[in-house]
Structure formats: C-alpha cells, structure tokens
Amino acid sequence: MERYFDRLEKEPLIAERWKKIEELESYGIKPFGRKYDKQNMIGDVLKHNPDENLKFKTAGRIMSLRGKGKAYFAHIEDQSGKIQIYMKKDELGEEQFDHIVKMLNVGDIIGVEGELFITHTEELTLRVKSISLLAKNVRSLPEKYHGLTDVEIRYRKRYVDLIMNPEVRETFIKRTEIIKEIRKYLDDRGFLEVETPMMHQILGGAAARPFMTHHNALDLDLYLRIAVELYLKRLIVGGFDKVYEIGKDFRNEGISVRHNPEFTMIELYQAHADFNDMMDIAEGMISTICEKINGTTDIVYDGVQLSLKNFKRVHMVDMIKDVTGVDFWKQMTFEEAREIAKEHHVEIAPHMNSVGHIINEFFEQKCEEKVIQPTFVYGHPVEISPLAKRNEENPNFTDRFELFINKREYANAFTELNDPADQRGRFEAQVEEALRGNEEATPVIDEDYVEALEYGMPPTGGMGIGIDRLVMLLTGSPSIRDVILFPQMKPRD
C-alpha cells in the first residue's frame, strides 16, 4: 500500500480523489462497497413508464453529473442502457445526500432505488429514494465530448474503451450472439461440439509458423496449436459422424488489421460428405447468421455493397484464365510455368518447385484482390493442399475450396484425404519443402495420424472458418483489433 500511495505525488488528480475517499471513510461510508442486490437492469427499467407506479432497484456507473445545493441530476449506465436519475436532499435525507451525493464524481459506481417520472424536458428519470456507493472512481474518465478516440489507447485500455464507447460494447455483444448462432446452426444439424488439446507435440493441420513452449516435468518442447484439424479427424476415425470445435489457434505471424497471433477458429468435420457439402454449410450458416444479426443478407462493408447469399463457385484455374489470360489447364513443365510467371511479374519463392505452386501464386498475386462478392474458389493444386483429397478427374488438383468475400479469405475446406499411403507421401513432400526453406511447411511426419487413417476414415468433408474475420464482416468492423477484446500489442518502452 505504501508503494501505491508513494506515486501519488506525481498524479495530483488521483491524490485528490483519495482525499475524498478518506473523507467518506470518516463518515462511515465504504468507498468500495460489497454485494448489492441489483434487481433490475437499466435496459429493463427503460421499458416501463411512471403510470405503472413501480419501484426499481438498479446500479450503474455515473456518466454525467450536474447540480448544486439540494438537487443533483446524473446519468448512470450499465451493459443494457443508460438512464437519468434525480437525487434530492428532501427525499434522500441529510446523511445520504451530504455524505454520498455531494461526494460523487463521474465514473463512480452507485446503486439506487426509486420510482420513475418524466422531467419537464420529457426525459424518463428515476427519482432516487435510496443510494449506495459501490465503487469510488479514482482515475478520471476521458473528457465527455472527446471521449476515448486514440485508437492505440482504446486497444491497450479496453476497459476504458468499453466504458466510454457504447458501440464497442455492442460489437462484442454481437460477437457473442454470432458464436451462439454458429453453435445453434450446427447443433440443429446433429453436430457434436468437442474439445481437443491446445499443446501439440507435432505441428499439423495448417501451414504456419508456431509458438513454442516447454513442459518441465516431461522435459518436452511443445507447440501451441496452429489448427485442430488432425485431432478432429481422429474423432471421425473413432466413430463420430459430425464434430466441431470453436477455440483459439496460435500462429507466429505478423500483426495487421486482419491478423492477430492468437485468434478464434471453428473447424467442423462430417463423415460421408465432401467439399460440396461444406460449401452448402458455409453459405447456409453465414447467410442465416447475417439475417439474424443484421435483419438482412445485404450489407455494406468497407464501403462495398455485399450480398451474403447465392455464393458463386469458380475453379481457381478458370479464374486465373479470366483475369490474366493464362491457361493452366494446358500441360506444361515447371520451367515453362516459371517463364510465364516471370512474364506476368508473379514472384516465385525459392522453395517452390512445381507448376502447382506457380498456379497458387498466380491466384494470390493476381486474382484475390478482384474477388468481391462471396465466392468459393475451388480446385487448389495438390502441392499446396497436403490434407485434401485429389480430384478424380484431374489428380493434379484437389477437392478443396477457399471462401473469399471482399478480397479476404473467410473459410478453407476440402474433401479430406483418407488414403494413408497418399497422406504419408504428402507429409514427406512437406518435410522436403521445409528443408528447402519454407518456414510454414510441416517439418515432421505425424506418424500417429497416418496410423489412424490405417484404421479407416470414412469419406469426410471438413472446413475451418475464421470467427474474428466473420465478426468483422457482420459488424462492419475495419480491424481485427475491433473484435478481439484484448488484442496483442507491441509493448511500450
């Protein structure tokens, strides 16, 4: 405690608040109260009118305060809404008025009991008959009319952001509603929600750089998971027909408006299905949730009008041909494809050694930014899809899709590879790619997963959807930091 108060010499405004706290204590008032029997949310109080002659008991934070002499007005706010209150000495009594009301500041949390009336300005107001101080504000809130506008401070001090900006609270309430609707959509269709490990001995399920940790008792290095795919498919082997998991994944990548190293994904798997079924589920889920959250499937995001229904479906090679004129349906050598890439200024990394790699780079560098309306881009090359089943008509490609909306990827899915020999060969190719310098390739073969496939996995469709990006889309949020309560930030000096 002494160290805490030592620093107040540098913060005179806080020191002044502490003097007021000491004065409150001298009156026998606890500045940081105990449990309060809050019987009504403010939003519920606002639904009533004075004619009902009802008494209410609620609590909230003081967001504005004005008055002098024997009467004060204030606005208090909780998660559900904000209401004006009226505190008068004749009704509260001298002790409560002088020892509590006159000592109040904006930011204090109070409990109040009273009845509704309408002021001469026609504002619904709670006439306070009893008041309790629940928590004294020590650090002043940002100035009312400017609020908390510094974006970096908003993210670093989310608690203040939530106090000052009701629209931010609304975004996170919508996030919870979106996740609830995702669960409902899948539960209603017979899917089972499960939980799998967050610490893995072997990387797998996605191409990404990992975070590492160490288990002291076992003297074992572990990875924070980059995906849950391989564990969920083990459950399909084990006899579950439909499973999903909503949880955190961790990827050691850059931070941007679309990327946070810790993010939320949903992955789902359905036995006896394929990637076409996953398209149907993705389109149905997103359009249904958008309708429930926004009342329509027509939205505007980042200034662009989008229709979240009747998603397009187009093969990757066909899109490349439409955009660039290059026809990768034609047979060609790697050297020929590399020359075409050079002519079209498509950069190729040193570890890329196949036509399939070049096809994917053509799409990412030339086509992604042109996909605006919801589009399933399918038919990814085998080389970049180590867990997807080959297409029967053209084994150079896989039955895989990515969902793009307004230039961004929202889902990744495929008909799962269930041939253990083919799967092991794909893993081996990933190891070789890692040795050639691809930091996102999986450097170790997951022998246990191959063994699981040897017991037999039925034909399966699987899909992953980024929850954070979906919430951004459905709430009109420009940055992933706007939909993650506590995003990762660079430490200050």
Side-chain angles (χ1 to χ4, degrees), residues 63 77-79 81-82 160-173:
M63 300 305 295
E77 185 175 70
D78 69 5
Q79 176 182 312
K82 180 167 66 175
V160 184
D161 187 26
L162 292 168
I163 292 171
M164 299 304 300
N165 298 315
E167 67 277 8
V168 174
R169 289 204 303 270
E170 186 61 31
T171 293
F172 287 103
I173 290 170

Side-chain angles (χ1 to χ4, degrees), residues 9-25:
E9 293 180 3
K10 300 178 181 179
E11 302 186 72
L13 292 177
I14 295 179
E16 191 64 32
R17 290 286 174 93
W18 276 106
K19 289 180 181 178
K20 189 173 284 191
I21 286 172
E22 292 174 357
E23 187 176 350
L24 283 166
E25 290 175 333

Side-chain angles (χ1 to χ4, degrees), residues 195-235:
E195 295 176 291
T196 62
M198 296 184 73
M199 294 189 294
H200 295 180
Q201 293 187 36
I202 298 175
L203 290 176
R209 294 178 63 184
F211 288 97
M212 292 187 65
T213 186
H214 186 79
H215 190 290
N216 291 332
L218 295 178
D219 192 21
L220 181 68
D221 287 335
L222 296 168
Y223 303 97
L224 296 183
R225 69 185 182 193
I226 57 174
V228 299
E229 178 170 341
L230 300 186
Y231 279 97
L232 291 183
K233 288 195 286 191
R234 284 174 170 92
L235 298 181

Side-chain angles (χ1 to χ4, degrees), residues 2 31 39 104 124 141 342 372 447 483:
E2 288 183 6
Q39 298 174 1
L104 292 176
L124 186 66
L141 297 179
K342 186 176 181 180
I372 304 301
E447 299 286 2
V483 299

Side-chain angles (χ1 to χ4, degrees), residues 299-306 406-408 472-473 476-478:
I299 63 172
V300 176
Y301 183 74
D302 196 22
V304 178
Q305 184 76 41
L306 300 170
N406 197 27
K407 310 175 187 179
R408 297 181 180 180
M472 289 170 62
L473 178 70
S477 301

